[in-house]
Every structure is written in C-alpha cells, then in structure tokens.
Amino acid sequence: MYIMKQSLEELLLDAVDSLKDQGVLEPEIVANIQIERTRDPQHGDFFSNLAMTLSKKAGQKPRDLAQLIVGALPDSRVVAKVDIAGPGFINFHLNPQAQFSVIERVRMEKSEFGTSSIGDGKKVLIEYVSANPTGPLHVGHGRGAAYGSAVASLLDATGFQVSREYYVNDAGRQMDILATTIWLRYLQQCNEQIKFPSNAYQGAYVRDIAEKIFRKSADRYRKPAAEVMKDLPADEPEGGDKELHIDALIDRCRTLLGTDDYEVFLRQGLDEILDDIRNDLEEFGVCYEGWFSERHLTGSGAVGKALARLESAGFLYDKDGATWFACSRLGDEKDRVVTRDNGQTTYLASDIAYHMNKIDRGFDTLINIWGADHHGYVPRVKAAINVLGADASMLEVLLVQFAVLYRGQEKIPMSTRSGEFVTLRQLRDEVGKDAARFFYLMRRCEQHMDFDLDLARSQSNENPVYYVQYAHARVCSVFRQLREKQLEHLPDEGLAHLELLTESHEKALLTALSRYPEVIENAALRYEPHQVIQYLRDIANDFHTYYNAHQFLVDNPGLRNARLNLIDAVRQVVANGLGLMGISAPDAM
C-alpha cells in the first residue's frame, strides 16, 4: 500500500544516511529508491533494487552492498523480516499487523480512501470529446468521453486542480454544410423539389431541425428550387465534383438568404445539436466546467493575435497567395497553411489561438484527448506552443482509438454525414450507462477496441461490469442477512480480532485492499483508467472466491465481526473505484 511503500523508503533512506556516516558511501551519492511489490509471496511483500543501482558508485558488489544496507536498517514495527535474493534484491516481509491496518484506514476514510495530494494543486486543463456540433454523438465519441472523464476524476482524486473543457468547433466549412443542409430540408418542407446532395448531412435530426424552422416561420425563407440549383457543378458521389457541388450550394445559400437569414439556419442547427450533445454527455456522466467556442476566438480577434505572435517570431511566410506556418523547423513533417489564398484562416490557425488562450489562463498542464486519426496533428500544435513562448512539454496529447461496435457479426457503420450510425444515446438505452463506460475503459486508450454488445447486455459472470458490481451487491446482501438474523455488526470488536483472519482468501483480500491507493496514483499519473478497471475485476474475483469458500455470519462473534470488517472494506473500495470511473455500485442485483 502507498503508506507501506513510504515507510520502506524512509527505512532505506535512513540506512543510506547511516552508511554515509560510516564512510561506506560518499556523502554526495544520491539514492534513487524504488519499492515494488513482489510477484511471489515467498519473496516477501515488497522488494528494492537499491543495492544494484548504487553498487557502481559505492565500489561494492551489489550483494555485498545489500548486506550492508540491510545491516544499517533501523528497527520497524512494519517489517517482520528482511532478506536478500539473487544478485542483490532486498526483500521486505511485512508484519501481519501492518496488513490489517488497511481495514481501519478504509473504515475511517470511507470515500476518501485512495485519494492523495501528490498533484500538489497543479492546474490541469483537460479537453476531450470536442466533436463537431453537426450531429448527435455516436459510439465512437463515447470512448473519448468515458476516458476523458475518468482521467479527470483520477487527477482530481490525487490532488490536481482540474478543469474540464469542451472545444466547440462552431466555425468553418462543416458548420456551413450543416446550415445549408438544414435549409435544403426546409425547402423540401416548402414542397420545393430539391435533389438532396450526397455530401450533405443525411440524418433524421436535420429534418427535425428544418421542420421546427418551417413550423415557426412558414415559407419566409423559401426560394425556388430552380434558382437554388441553377448551374451548380454536378453532384458525383464517386468523383471529386461532390465537394465542388456542396461548396457551390453553400455559396448559393449565403447569397440567396443573406447574412441574417443564413445565420438563422446556422444558429438553429448549432444550438439544438449542441444542447443535444450536452444533455447526452450529462446522462453519460460527463460534465464540463467550460464550453469554449471557436466562433468566440474568431470574433474576439484571438486568431489574428496568435498569428501576429507567430509572425513576430519569424515563423510565418507567404507562398502561392497563402500564409504558411514554418512548423517543419520544429519537428513537423512539413509546413502548414494558416491563412488560405481567399483570406480565410484554417482550423490550425484557430487551434493555435485556442492553445494560446489555454496558456494565458495559467495552467501547468494541458491535456488534449483526440481521436487516433489526429496523430499527425500533434507536432504542429507542439511547434506552435514553442513559438508562443511556452514549453511544449506542458501539452499531453492522448490519442484514443474509436471503438468499433458489433451487433452479432455485423459491423455497424458510424459516419455522421451518411446518417448511418449508432448514437451514444442508443448505446446507453441498449446496454446502460454503467456497462458502456466500463467496456470503454477496459483497455488502454490507444488500443483498438471491439465493443461486444451482446456481452455488455448480459447479466452473467462473463460480463465484467456485472461481475464487479455483483461483488458490491453481495456484501450488501450479507449485511441484510445479518439484520434478518437480528445480529449486529460491531466494528470495534472486529478490529480487536483481526488476527483471526488467517485464511488464504483473507490474506489475498488484505493485499488487494492495500494496493488500491497505489493503483489510483499510478492510474492518475499515467492517464490509465484501465488500471482501475483491472484492479476492480481482480478484487471482485478475490471476493467472490472468498464468498464461495467461507461463511461470514459464523457463531464466533470475534471472527464474524472481523470478517464483516474485511468485506465491508471490500465494499467501500469497490464503490470508490467504480465511482471514480463514473459507474454505479448497486446494493442489490
């Protein structure tokens, strides 16, 4: 457990200081102490390779130095025995009473057990999901949502000051396509014979937005189909003309409607879809402190200011009528356009301005959670941060593979433009929030994931989320049985008889409980919530094995209360871990 590791580190530091006083070690030697759990209980509970890392500096053979270190260790009630293994590993065998202390800690700290202050209040901005507000979230977005919120919770739990943010891409071509798509559906509501473009947004949600505008405004924005479609490039789904076709439609829409009326369609689409995204995420257990608008960046002049800073640093140049960012000088594979030849700024220009805004807000660390297809985007953003005068290492970009959903053997397509996708809301309705989040978090974010829909729906031990939640519910059922037998749980009596917990299953659970703070800390610092998921599966397995092998409500009150203390600690830790992952811990199943 974390406190045990701290105690062992202090013992080794005392031993090193003693050897320095004896002249065995030079005073300037710095001991980099690492404590790890042993894999084999016969080798103790923890081990250190300190003697091996110091042997060269000390001019001693590792095993000889290990003997000296062990001889210099001060007495400790935590340690029962220390021995040396192999070329010089120092193995620590803990006093059994030290293992029991975790039960009292869990009982006292409850939901705070596992939290720490290792983050030291450092300010972290974590930006995740940030899907274009052009349609509902699909199951691919769900993995980034679950992952981002879990990482944020872990950082919160370990003493970081966390701000969660959604970057709203509410400017640019995709929003123009959305506004034009809604207008075309609106014209169809007006009985205009519009041939719908293959490259427009096809989903039913677009029709719903168009119908609302029609019900409110009738044919106020109606234009003849012939005027709308006149002399447009052909819409060729298999060729390149489809892009020219939709871009020409956008220009026609802007011209025929005018700025104010065009804004009606863009704003209606943006507001409704963004409200849907916000509600969808909240129902998925994902909430933000901030929603940052790309349009705000443009309107406030922030993009121009960011580009001016790049120019003053000598990293912008003109070529072919466009303005380029010389990011290849800082590690990108080539330079990138920030202002097109038509005067419009690019997505990269907005992203540079957004990151300048993040830096100016005084965060110590910036975490961006992006889809794996943004891998090539990372070097250019880091290059911009360097040019803006900050250290690019403050930016952590975590790439998430989209989950692939299968229904039986059929792969479900998830293209927003085509409209053929399964939404995150549909997934929740089918398998539930808990199963969806658990499955999303089972693997490292960069690993490919096939989402097994049938397994997620099942209520059996093969379903991992059911198996973990069932451990919590089973403990609750034991305490219900206790009350039915008109018995009482006496925690103090249980604490006084913890030495009766001698079964191998009990020792396994004590070890698992003591590991929890370590797991939370490691998962937070490495941005790996899957470590918590794996831990929960392991401790659930240990508990179910214990449950099947032993009775808890035995006649001996000392043993009964000791076992009740143990399983109640298991219940609390399972609830804590599930809570950090945004998953419920039911009392009954």
Side-chain angles (χ1 to χ4, degrees):
M1 81 184 58
Y2 181 62
I3 287 183
M4 291 299 177
K5 291 178 71 173
Q6 281 185 316
S7 298
L8 298 178
E9 288 171 3
E10 291 169 0
L11 291 176
L12 287 172
L13 280 174
D14 287 345
V16 169
D17 289 342
S18 177
L19 294 178
K20 288 180 179 180
D21 292 340
Q22 297 171 34
V24 176
L25 296 177
E26 296 295 328
E28 64 271 12
I29 286 179
V30 176
N32 181 20
I33 296 176
Q34 295 181 340
I35 305 289
E36 301 292 338
R37 285 190 175 273
T38 60
R39 295 184 178 180
D40 186 346
Q42 293 183 350
H43 297 156
D45 299 287
F46 292 93
F47 75 92
S48 176
N49 64 350
L50 178 63
M52 300 161 73
T53 62
L54 290 182
S55 63
K56 186 175 181 180
K57 296 177 182 177
Q60 299 264 359
K61 292 180 180 180
R63 194 172 177 92
D64 293 342
L65 182 57
Q67 293 281 5
L68 293 172
I69 293 173
V70 171
L73 287 170
D75 292 335
S76 171
R77 291 181 298 176
V78 171
V79 180
K81 184 177 71 169
V82 183
D83 55 37
I84 299 168
F89 291 108
I90 300 173
N91 293 336
F92 293 92
H93 302 256
L94 299 183
N95 187 318
Q97 292 299 322
Q99 293 276 46
F100 293 143
S101 66
V102 69
I103 293 179
E104 174 65 1
R105 279 194 61 204
V106 176
R107 191 172 79 89
M108 296 298 294
E109 297 176 19
K110 295 184 173 58
S111 63
E112 295 299 312
F113 179 71
T115 62
S116 73
S117 58
I118 192 170
D120 196 28
K122 291 179 180 177
K123 294 179 64 178
V124 177
L125 178 65
I126 178 167
E127 179 227 324
Y128 54 106
V129 184
S130 297
N132 288 341
T134 54
L137 298 177
H138 58 58
V139 296
H141 298 128
R143 189 176 188 190
Y147 175 71
S149 62
V151 169
S153 293
L154 286 167
L155 293 173
D156 261 338
T158 48
F160 292 88
Q161 187 178 339
V162 182
S163 295
R164 301 156 178 84
E165 191 158 277
Y166 189 114
Y167 181 55
V168 183
N169 298 106
D170 52 1
R173 183 170 179 265
Q174 295 306 315
M175 294 306 300
D176 287 331
I177 294 175
L178 176 67
T180 300
T181 298
I182 296 170
W183 184 55
L184 295 177
R185 289 300 190 198
Y186 163 83
L187 292 177
Q188 289 178 339
Q189 289 288 313
C190 297
N191 294 320
E192 292 292 337
Q193 300 304 307
I194 297 289
K195 183 180 178 182
F196 204 69
S198 61
N199 216 20
Y201 289 99
Q202 307 289 331
Y205 64 93
V206 176
R207 289 189 180 90
D208 293 339
I209 296 170
E211 287 176 5
K212 288 181 180 179
I213 296 175
F214 179 75
R215 288 196 299 269
K216 180 179 180 180
S217 304
D219 61 356
R220 174 181 172 182
Y221 307 107
R222 182 176 185 173
K223 302 294 179 182
E227 189 177 0
V228 174
M229 308 302 291
K230 182 181 179 181
D231 298 330
L232 293 178
D235 184 18
E236 299 290 346
E238 302 304 323
D241 287 349
K242 63 180 181 179
E243 298 293 341
L244 293 176
H245 180 77
I246 193 68
D247 286 341
L249 268 173
I250 291 170
D251 291 340
R252 186 66 50 81
C253 177
R254 285 181 173 276
T255 300
L256 294 177
L257 284 176
T259 301
D260 291 344
D261 288 352
Y262 178 82
E263 183 71 13
V264 169
F265 288 86
L266 191 149
R267 177 55 63 183
Q268 185 81 19
L270 171 62
D271 289 348
E272 291 208 19
I273 292 173
L274 196 58
D275 283 346
D276 180 75
I277 288 173
R278 185 181 287 107
N279 293 335
D280 200 5
L281 288 170
E282 287 177 357
E283 291 170 5
F284 194 48
V286 177
C287 298
Y288 296 88
E289 282 80 23
W291 294 73
F292 196 100
S293 166
E294 182 184 358
R295 299 183 94 196
H296 170 74
L297 279 176
T298 305
S300 67
V303 176
K305 292 176 183 177
L307 295 182
R309 285 174 65 172
L310 297 186
E311 185 174 25
S312 65
F315 277 83
L316 291 189
Y317 65 90
D318 294 329
K319 177 183 175 183
D320 300 329
T323 302
W324 297 70
F325 173 35
C327 46
S328 62
R329 290 158 51 187
L330 293 168
D332 199 3
E333 60 184 5
K334 62 181 182 180
D335 294 343
R336 310 288 175 176
V337 174
V338 289
T339 306
R340 298 186 181 93
D341 55 7
N342 62 3
Q344 291 185 342
T345 54
T346 62
Y347 284 120
L348 177 58
S350 295
D351 283 340
I352 292 171
Y354 179 39
H355 283 82
M356 183 175 76
N357 177 278
K358 290 181 178 182
I359 294 167
D360 290 345
R361 281 186 272 164
F363 290 100
D364 300 298
T365 301
L366 308 178
I367 299 176
N368 292 353
I369 296 177
W370 291 344
D373 56 339
H374 285 69
H375 179 270
Y377 209 74
V378 178
R380 68 198 74 162
V381 176
K382 282 184 172 286
I385 289 176
N386 273 328
V387 177
L388 292 170
D391 185 350
S393 65
M394 73 183 300
L395 174 64
E396 295 276 359
V397 179
L398 308 173
L399 299 174
V400 179
Q401 289 283 351
F402 281 163
V404 179
L405 181 66
Y406 284 84
R407 194 183 304 281
Q409 298 300 314
E410 180 186 0
K411 181 179 176 181
I412 309 298
M414 293 179 288
S415 169
T416 306
R417 187 82 64 81
S418 70
E420 297 176 358
F421 57 89
V422 176
T423 66
L424 177 59
R425 184 173 283 111
Q426 288 170 331
L427 178 68
R428 283 203 326 275
D429 289 344
E430 189 157 347
V431 306
K433 174 180 77 73
D434 288 345
R437 289 186 66 106
F438 196 99
F439 272 66
Y440 279 135
L441 296 172
M442 283 197 298
R443 296 177 180 271
R444 285 184 171 88
C445 66
E446 68 272 15
Q447 287 184 315
H448 176 81
M449 177 187 181
D450 291 339
F451 197 111
D452 188 337
L453 196 60
D454 292 336
L455 180 60
R457 276 200 314 251
S458 68
Q459 294 188 355
S460 68
N461 288 342
E462 283 69 38
N463 181 348
V465 64
Y466 180 90
Y467 192 64
V468 172
Q469 289 178 318
Y470 189 38
H472 185 275
R474 260 187 161 175
V475 175
C476 293
S477 73
V478 171
F479 281 90
R480 285 194 295 270
Q481 294 171 33
L482 180 76
R483 291 190 294 272
E484 290 169 1
K485 293 178 179 291
Q486 297 184 337
L487 296 173
E488 186 179 359
H489 177 210
L490 302 174
D492 290 340
E493 182 172 355
L495 291 173
H497 293 88
L498 293 179
E499 76 282 354
L500 299 177
L501 300 177
T502 58
E503 300 290 345
S504 60
H505 300 100
E506 293 163 342
K507 293 178 180 178
L509 279 174
L510 287 167
T511 299
L513 290 170
S514 69
R515 285 183 53 231
Y516 180 72
E518 297 172 37
V519 171
I520 298 305
E521 183 178 300
N522 288 334
L525 296 180
R526 297 178 183 179
Y527 313 127
E528 293 183 345
H530 76 273
Q531 288 193 30
V532 181
I533 296 296
Q534 186 56 56
Y535 169 86
L536 291 170
R537 296 178 73 175
D538 290 343
I539 195 172
N541 182 68
D542 288 342
F543 170 76
H544 289 306
T545 304
Y546 181 38
Y547 182 95
N548 294 331
H550 298 282
Q551 293 291 323
F552 302 143
L553 305 184
V554 295
D555 292 336
N556 182 332
L559 178 59
R560 180 174 69 242
N561 283 289
R563 287 181 171 176
L564 289 174
N565 281 5
L566 174 60
I567 66 171
D568 195 44
V570 171
R571 179 202 60 76
Q572 183 68 63
V573 166
V574 169
N576 290 0
L578 287 173
L580 284 175
M581 299 297 99
I583 299 167
S584 70
D587 292 344
M589 296 177 68

